Every structure is written in C-alpha cells, then in structure tokens.
Amino acid sequence: MNVIRLALGWLVGIALASNVSLPLHWLAIAAGVAMVGVVVDRSRWFALVMLCVALGGIRYHFAQPLLGPHHIERWAGATEVTIVGRVDEEPRRDDTGQQLVVTVSYAGSSDRFAPAEGRVLVRAPPYPPYYPGDRLLLSGRLSLPRTAQRPGEFDYRAYLARRGIFVLLNRPTVIRALAAREPAWGLAQISQFREYCRRVLLRLLPEPQAALAIGILLGIQAGLPETARAAFATTGTSHILVVSGWNFTIVAAALAALAKLTRLRPWPAFWLSLAAMWIYAGFTGASAAVVRAAMMASLALLARTAERQSEPWRLLLAACWLLTLVNPHTLWDLGFQLSALATASLFAFGKPVERWLNGFGWLAHPALAAVREALTATLAAQVLTLPLMLYHFGNLSLVAPLANILIVPVVPVAMLLGMVALIGGLFWLPLGQWLAAVAWLPLSWITNAAMVLAQPAWAAIAVPAFPLWLLLASYAVIIGYWLWRRQDRAEMQEA
C-alpha cells in the first residue's frame, strides 16, 4: 500500500503542476525539503509522498514545449504557407480523411524556405495513405485550434497542446510526398502491414462484420457504418471496438496456453510472450490505453514467471507511473483515463458486485457462469467510469447490462476466429475466405445484438451536463465509500 501512495503522489504532482503555475526553482526547493524530511523523519512515508508530488511537478515542467523564434505557430494566419516535414505518428483514418501529425523542418513560400520547428495537425484526404517517416510538402493556410469559449467547455487548443501540437492545417491545397523517407524506427513498416491486413479483412468479410473485425483486431475504427457505431454507443458496448486491457488478457491467455502446449520453459516463454504482446501493441496503434494495458500484462507476466504474487493495484499504478514518466500529458488522454478507471473499478468493486449478484439465486446456477461473469465485469467497471462518461458525453445506457451479457462473452471467440481467418487470408486468400465463413457467425451476433437492443427509444437517455465540481464530488463519495467498506471489512476480520 505504501508503494501505491508513492505512485499516487506522483500523479497528483503532475495534476497540480498543470493547474497551478509554479516556477521550477520552487518545485526543486519542495523536493529538497521533502528529501530532508525523508532523512530526518522516522516514518518517512509522508515525506516520501511529498517528494513524489514535487518530482511529478518537475517532470511535468520539463515536458512543456518551448516555443522558440522558429516555431511554426508564428506562421498561423498567413494567407498561404508551404511547409516541409515528416509524418511523426500513426495517422488516424476515418471515412472522410486522415489526420497526420507532421513535424516541421522548413516553412515559407513555395520558393523561399526558412528553418522551422513544431508539430502541425493536418487533415488530409483519405487517399493516398501516408505512413510514419514519410516526408511531405504541404501548402495551405495554418490556423490556431479553438479555445474554450466558456467555463467547462472542451478546450481543443489545450487538448492538442498536451500532444505538442499548436497549429492546424485543414485540407491543404497542395500535398506531395517527397522522394526521401526519413527513418521511423520500423513504424512505417508496421503501419503499412496493418493497412494491408485491413484490406485483406475487407476482402474476407462483408460489412459491417469486416469493420467490426478490423476494430477488435487492428484497432482501426474507420469503416464501421454510422448506424452500427451509434448502436454500440447506445448499448454501452463501444469498449469492444477498441483494443484495451481485455484484448491483452485474451492474448496473454492464448500465449500461456501455447507455451504450455509446446512445453516451453518459463523464461523462454516469458520473452516470447513479451515480444508478441508488444508487437501486438505496436500493431494496433500504441495508444495510451493500449500501452497501459501492454505494460500491465507485461508486469503480470513477469510476476508470474518469477513466481511472485502480482498485486493488481501495484501493477496498475506501476503502468500509470511508467506512462506518465515517459509523457506526463498521458494523464489527460480520455482513452487512458477510461481504461485505467475501468481497471481500478474492477479491482475495487468486482468482488462486492459478484457477492451482490450471488444473492440472486437464479444467477448462481453453474450454467450461467459466463452470464454472471459478464454482468459482474460490466457493473463493476461502470462504478468509476460512469461519472466521467456522463461528464464528457451525457449519455446513460439503460440496456448496457443486458447488452454486455449477450455480447461480451462472444468477443473472444470472434477475435480468435477472426485472427485465424486473417492469417489464412495472408497466406492464401481462398483459405482465408473459407475460414472467414466461420468467423462471420460471432461477428454477426455481436453487430445484430447491438442493433436490436439499441432500437427502443428508452435504450439510452440524455443526462444534462454537470460541472467539474460535481464530477469531483462524485468520485469523492465513491472513493470514501470504498475506503469505509474496506476499513469496516478489515475490522470485522480482526474481530
């Protein structure tokens, strides 16, 4: 529990530094005072926590971008600007285009360039596709992201600033790939292979089953029809469309079964499994939530291989600490927040929800084990994620428990059969098409169940937006209740 406090102190330090502007020297002084407290104080834990808070603030301070005289932001608002730069991240593609993060090296007019720096978010047409490492020449009008117009409104500029992006280029008038490609540490090859797998799945399966398979296997959301996307949102099952910790749990279980079948020794099996999980993480886009899930799965695998007990809270916070150590701005990524909160909610409320459900006699039947497990996971995960989802989206799904019971147990089957079909299609397309006929069944069940359950007008209700203080108050009540129950249960065990 003490290690957990240190990790929480680090995260609190990052959050405080983002809201309270403190000079670096004050943070350094606070860290020095805390270090003295560590040496002098016998308990030391309070001083250690304060040290972690100060170090978190220092790390956030060093993560802030420096807008020098050559930063691309000074070109925003000009009539027409030509920039030369490199695609720096995996592009985000949808039905209408692709978002490119371009790191700029030169900017100016079409025949006169000057050195420039910074990152630009470019909204480009869907074709031709671009990949990390591609060098591009783009022309168009640069603009600044929109800021919040009133308190509580989404601040798009602050959101992009946390990714180091301060300038937009929507629909460039000229976009041309330059001959020389800068190295991108293999990201371009992974991205191209991922795109090739997407095209193979489109040839193996009809829509919307193909788009669903692409989402759960490759982490690409583009292509799913709007009606199907709305159905998953209405039924509270959108989480199955993105790669998350649950996908890594399935992958880890499959790898463990394979290692047992081939009788691999523990440490060779560990390194092979570790490599497979991180290749899969990179293959699916390596978002903050995906990397967090991969880190947790890796830490759990290490604990199991070393025959040490893997305390789940430590694994979660260790993953969060590592992610925010690399990039403190990850703390504000909504996908990361929902993923981490869902995992924490399962740890905190999984057992209480399971005991509550066991009170219903008909659910205790062994034949309903899969139903009980899906319902437990759904209800437990909602405890901490629901306030944040209502704060951001204002949509409350009333059919989510039933939808998750009917859909969630089928997803591992769909993943396994879809992956088998994809591998078959990569080797020989007719073989993949034959295997895809089997994968079509669970994929159709998932899409049809979501569409049917989303039909009633009462399936989801709109909740009025509530202010930030109410969100924080909700979490204070939930955490306070959990701590009270935890203390009460500890006292009962001692008695």
Side-chain angles (χ1 to χ4, degrees):
M1 182 60 72
N2 291 327
V3 176
I4 295 175
R5 292 173 186 168
L6 297 181
L8 288 174
W10 169 272
L11 298 177
V12 169
I14 293 175
L16 287 176
S18 70
N19 292 285
V20 181
S21 181
L22 289 176
L24 179 60
H25 65 272
W26 283 111
L27 292 171
I29 292 173
V33 172
M35 290 183 67
V36 172
V38 171
V39 175
V40 174
D41 188 13
R42 291 184 178 180
S43 63
R44 297 182 180 178
W45 282 113
F46 179 77
L48 280 172
V49 171
M50 291 299 102
L51 176 61
C52 288
V53 171
L55 292 177
I58 292 172
R59 179 64 187 94
Y60 178 82
H61 179 86
F62 280 111
Q64 302 311 302
L66 298 176
L67 305 185
H70 299 295
H71 197 274
I72 192 62
E73 188 179 28
R74 75 183 183 92
W75 294 90
T79 304
E80 182 88 4
V81 178
T82 299
I83 63 174
V84 175
R86 181 191 73 246
V87 179
D88 207 29
E89 294 182 3
E90 172 74 21
R92 297 184 181 182
R93 299 181 175 90
D94 55 31
D95 300 332
T96 60
Q98 52 187 326
Q99 285 188 355
L100 311 174
V101 177
V102 176
T103 299
V104 180
S105 53
Y106 297 96
S109 60
S110 58
D111 57 351
R112 187 176 181 181
F113 292 98
E117 60 185 10
R119 284 153 54 98
V120 178
L121 182 64
V122 181
R123 182 69 179 178
Y127 296 101
Y130 299 102
Y131 303 97
D134 285 346
R135 294 188 70 244
L136 304 177
L137 183 146
L138 307 106
S139 295
R141 184 170 182 175
L142 301 177
S143 60
L144 298 177
R146 188 175 64 89
T147 59
Q149 301 300 312
R150 57 181 182 273
E153 187 180 29
F154 176 68
D155 193 332
Y156 190 47
R157 185 169 187 177
Y159 166 76
L160 290 180
R162 293 189 180 110
R163 297 174 57 193
I165 300 170
F166 296 88
V167 180
L168 304 177
L169 176 55
N170 292 316
R171 296 294 178 181
T173 55
V174 176
I175 178 168
R176 186 171 74 246
L178 301 179
R181 164 177 283 174
E182 297 183 14
W185 300 96
L187 291 177
Q189 289 72 25
I190 294 175
S191 181
Q192 290 176 19
F193 181 62
R194 187 185 184 202
E195 176 64 19
Y196 178 71
C197 290
R198 186 186 72 86
R199 293 198 297 267
V200 169
L201 284 171
L202 287 173
R203 298 182 67 182
L204 296 181
L205 291 161
E207 293 289 6
Q209 289 80 11
L212 177 60
I214 290 169
I216 64 177
L217 292 177
L218 309 181
I220 300 174
Q221 304 307 307
L224 193 67
E226 189 58 36
T227 54
R229 195 188 305 273
F232 283 109
T234 300
T235 56
T237 52
S238 295
H239 59 89
I240 71 169
L241 302 177
V242 297
V243 177
S244 62
W246 190 39
N247 299 71
F248 281 91
T249 301
I250 296 172
V251 171
L255 292 171
L258 182 62
K260 185 176 181 180
L261 183 65
T262 56
R263 298 183 179 180
L264 276 177
R265 296 177 64 84
W267 283 107
F270 166 76
W271 291 113
L272 287 174
S273 300
L274 193 68
M277 283 193 294
W278 281 100
I279 290 173
Y280 180 63
F283 183 66
T284 53
S287 66
V290 168
V291 175
R292 179 207 59 81
M295 282 187 176
M296 281 202 63
S298 301
L299 292 171
L301 184 63
L302 176 62
R304 186 166 62 248
T305 305
E307 297 182 348
R308 298 183 59 136
Q309 184 178 4
S310 56
E311 211 280 323
W313 286 104
R314 293 186 180 183
L315 293 180
L316 173 62
L317 288 169
C320 294
W321 175 77
L322 286 171
L323 279 172
T324 53
L325 177 64
V326 175
N327 181 11
H329 296 296
T330 301
L331 193 61
W332 287 269
D333 183 276
L334 182 58
F336 165 76
Q337 292 174 358
L338 289 173
S339 178
L341 284 174
T343 305
S345 196
L346 287 171
F347 293 162
F349 300 101
K351 292 295 183 182
V353 170
E354 184 179 13
R355 287 193 294 268
W356 177 69
L357 291 176
N358 286 337
F360 299 92
W362 59 277
L363 275 175
H365 196 279
L368 297 177
V371 173
R372 187 170 61 252
E373 181 179 352
L375 188 58
T376 298
T378 301
L379 296 178
Q382 291 288 321
V383 176
L384 288 178
T385 58
L386 186 59
L388 187 63
M389 293 179 67
L390 293 178
Y391 175 75
H392 282 286
F393 308 114
N395 185 59
L396 177 62
S397 175
L398 301 181
V399 298
L402 177 60
N404 280 271
I405 289 174
L406 296 176
I407 292 175
V408 167
V410 185
V411 175
V413 180
M415 283 184 62
L416 176 62
L417 297 179
M419 182 61 71
V420 170
L422 174 59
I423 294 173
L426 291 174
F427 282 103
W428 188 38
L429 190 62
L431 173 61
Q433 291 172 336
W434 182 80
L435 295 171
V438 183
W440 178 86
L441 292 172
L443 291 169
S444 296
W445 172 272
I446 293 171
T447 53
N448 290 331
M451 297 286 285
V452 170
L453 291 174
Q455 290 300 317
W458 48 265
I461 58 175
V463 178
F466 50 88
L468 179 62
W469 69 264
L470 186 56
L471 174 69
L472 298 177
S474 301
Y475 280 120
V477 171
I478 293 172
I479 294 172
Y481 173 77
W482 176 70
L483 292 174
W484 174 73
R485 290 288 299 173
R486 183 185 178 93
Q487 181 66 28
D488 188 52
R489 185 171 294 276
E491 293 176 354
M492 290 178 62
Q493 290 177 349
E494 291 178 359

